[in-house]
Amino acid sequence: MNHDRTEPIRIGRIDYTNVWPVFHHFDPEQLSCAPKLVRAMPAELNRRLREGAIDMAAISSFAYGLNSEDYVLLPNLSVSARGPVQSILLFLKSPLKKVLDGGRIAMTTTSATSVNLLKILMEKFHGGHPVYETAEPDLDSMLTHADAALLIGDHAIRASWQNHGYEVIDLSDSWYRFTGMWMTFAVWAVRREAAAAKSADIGEIYRALVDSKRRSYGDMRPVIEHALRSVGGTEAYWKGYFGGLNHDFGAGQREGLSLFFKYARELGHMDKNVAIEEWSLAGPIATPAAPPQ
């Protein structure tokens, strides 16, 4: 689907707390290009961007990898971590050994990146063979018939505050312990035809997003206060939470993301090598795909 040059840029926004530092000070109404903001869950934004129903979005890294030939990435924007992220959590009702040996893991379907990260950790690094099943993101109901449950985003955060007694594995921390690399969970992707048709508009939006990130990192208190009002918890929790996130996309994040794509392909979850290409006014900046292993 080609972008209509007469229509405003349509921006997909997820409302998970992990993107708030980038979006908190972003006001589309202040931009001359007057973009349209579309709010949806990650899986829905992945689909809309893939089908051309929106022009750019913060989408899951895995969704970008599956359709990278159609997108370019905005530089210096991501949701990444190098260690615990506190919002992508595996709750164990049974010992990990039992889970790995044919145990059942109930998974939310709202993030393809988290699901595939779980499979990489369980199968490649632990050598396990669990059975995966999808479920609505409610910890108690998920663990009624499963040995473990994967929750992400605000569902994971709220569940981590409960006194449930389950062992909890932070998947981002596990990735770092096994690889020593950054884990990038989401990226800001733009459909190539939109980037070509309205590069000036994309540039204005990009600068506004980067400025919003800069303002948030200069003073995280407004973002923390918004989290307290919207989600709950304590100020100390949110300081630690946002302190563990990184919203840049540089060499380290690209290297970690390339490794994630490589492992996903090795396990058969991705059928191609991914060349990471970043947008610029001068044209895409390519990071070559890893060679076949």
Side-chain angles (χ1 to χ4, degrees):
M1 182 184 296
N2 292 324
H3 179 81
D4 186 339
R5 292 173 183 264
T6 66
E7 293 295 319
I9 296 289
R10 300 156 298 180
I11 306 171
R13 172 175 175 175
I14 50 178
D15 275 326
Y16 284 167
T17 51
N18 60 15
V19 301
W20 285 359
V22 175
F23 278 116
H24 187 78
H25 298 285
F26 177 75
D27 184 357
E29 295 182 1
Q30 299 299 313
L31 303 182
S32 62
C33 66
K36 178 183 178 182
L37 207 59
V38 178
R39 298 173 185 265
M41 296 295 284
E44 177 67 11
L45 291 182
N46 295 346
R47 181 188 65 79
R48 291 189 187 190
L49 190 66
R50 183 177 69 250
E51 295 176 354
I54 56 177
D55 304 298
M56 60 187 297
I59 63 168
S60 76
S61 297
F62 190 79
Y64 163 72
L66 290 177
N67 301 279
S68 59
E69 64 276 5
D70 296 326
Y71 307 146
V72 289
L73 297 185
L74 292 181
N76 304 316
L77 291 173
S78 76
V79 178
S80 299
R82 198 163 179 259
V85 77
Q86 300 187 60
S87 58
I88 302 175
L89 304 177
L90 183 67
F91 296 82
L92 298 176
K93 184 179 73 174
S94 301
L96 179 60
K97 186 176 185 302
K98 179 181 177 182
V99 174
L100 296 170
D101 189 21
R104 304 185 74 83
I105 301 179
M107 308 183 305
T108 175
T109 59
T110 50
S111 171
T113 302
S114 302
V115 165
N116 283 279
L117 175 59
L118 172 69
K119 291 177 179 178
I120 289 169
L121 292 170
M122 295 296 103
E123 298 167 23
K124 181 174 182 64
F125 294 137
H126 287 293
H129 302 281
V131 175
Y132 306 104
E133 57 187 35
T134 59
E136 291 299 312
D138 178 86
L139 185 62
D140 291 336
S141 62
M142 293 170 93
L143 290 177
T144 300
H145 302 292
D147 299 289
L150 173 67
L151 288 175
I152 71 163
D154 299 347
H155 292 108
I157 290 170
R158 288 191 173 99
S160 73
W161 294 341
Q162 298 174 17
N163 185 23
H164 43 60
Y166 300 127
E167 181 184 353
V168 181
I169 297 175
D170 186 307
L171 298 194
S172 179
D173 190 42
S174 291
W175 169 265
Y176 176 64
R177 289 172 181 271
F178 278 111
T179 68
M181 297 279 191
W182 284 93
M183 181 63 212
T184 293
F185 297 97
V187 290
W188 268 256
V190 184
R191 289 193 62 85
R192 289 178 184 271
E193 64 267 24
K198 291 200 169 185
S199 61
D201 291 354
I202 298 296
E204 184 185 24
I205 293 165
Y206 170 67
R207 288 188 292 272
L209 289 168
V210 171
D211 184 62
S212 176
K213 180 183 74 167
R214 178 190 60 78
R215 292 174 63 186
S216 292
Y217 273 76
D219 181 6
M220 199 64 74
R221 285 176 300 177
V223 180
I224 290 172
E225 289 168 1
H226 183 50
L228 288 168
R229 291 192 303 269
S230 303
V231 187
T234 65
E235 182 176 354
Y237 174 84
W238 290 112
K239 282 183 177 178
Y241 173 79
F242 288 115
L245 290 174
N246 179 279
H247 295 89
D248 300 331
F249 191 69
Q253 288 88 349
R254 284 193 297 272
E255 186 179 5
L257 185 56
S258 293
L259 185 64
F260 172 76
F261 289 147
K262 174 179 178 288
Y263 289 157
R265 187 172 187 218
E266 285 179 0
L267 292 175
H269 304 312
M270 191 167 281
D271 62 2
K272 62 185 178 185
N273 294 313
V274 178
I276 298 172
E277 291 190 30
E278 295 183 52
W279 173 88
S280 77
L281 284 171
I285 304 169
T287 298
Q293 299 296 313

